[in-house]
Amino acid sequence: MKQNKVYGLLGLAARGRNLVSGEFATENAIKGGKAMMIVVARDASDNTKKRFMDRCSYYEVPIHIYGTKEELGRAIGTEERSSIALLDEGLAHTITKHLEELQD
């Protein structure tokens, strides 16, 4: 149930143009200081996960490993996506709360 909420919020962010997806756009959002939170798919390559973990650590951006590439892409209305950057602080905070509840 909570999973649907996370994907629903990602879809809402996409429709409101409050996220960017794909490795290049996500990386630019981190470097440009626009990213409030990063979501990387569990089935992304180890190299991709490490690169985003390192970048997020350096730029102090919260990162979550969640979902699959297919699920993330479907949630935002595109093909498979291994990474998403949320640009809205409020949405990022809400999604983080739901992700933390899923881990409990």
Side-chain angles (χ1 to χ4, degrees), residues 10-93:
L10 287 173
L12 184 70
R15 287 189 297 279
R17 301 195 193 286
N18 289 315
L19 68 72
V20 294
S21 64
E23 293 185 35
F24 184 73
T26 301
E27 227 169 285
N28 284 343
I30 295 168
K31 289 178 185 173
K34 291 180 170 67
M36 298 294 140
M37 179 181 110
I38 303 301
V39 179
V40 177
R42 282 190 312 268
D43 59 347
S45 72
D46 290 341
N47 187 27
T48 296
K49 286 189 257 192
K50 183 186 181 330
R51 190 168 75 245
F52 281 112
M53 293 283 223
D54 292 347
R55 282 266 151 60
C56 288
S57 173
Y58 181 80
Y59 287 96
E60 298 179 354
V61 176
I63 182 169
H64 297 278
I65 308 297
Y66 180 75
T68 64
K69 293 189 277 193
E70 184 183 340
E71 291 166 343
L72 293 178
R74 191 178 321 123
I76 63 171
T78 65
E79 68 272 11
E80 292 185 353
R81 288 289 185 240
S82 58
S83 62
I84 294 174
L86 278 128
L87 310 178
D88 180 85
E89 195 171 359
L91 275 168
H93 179 74

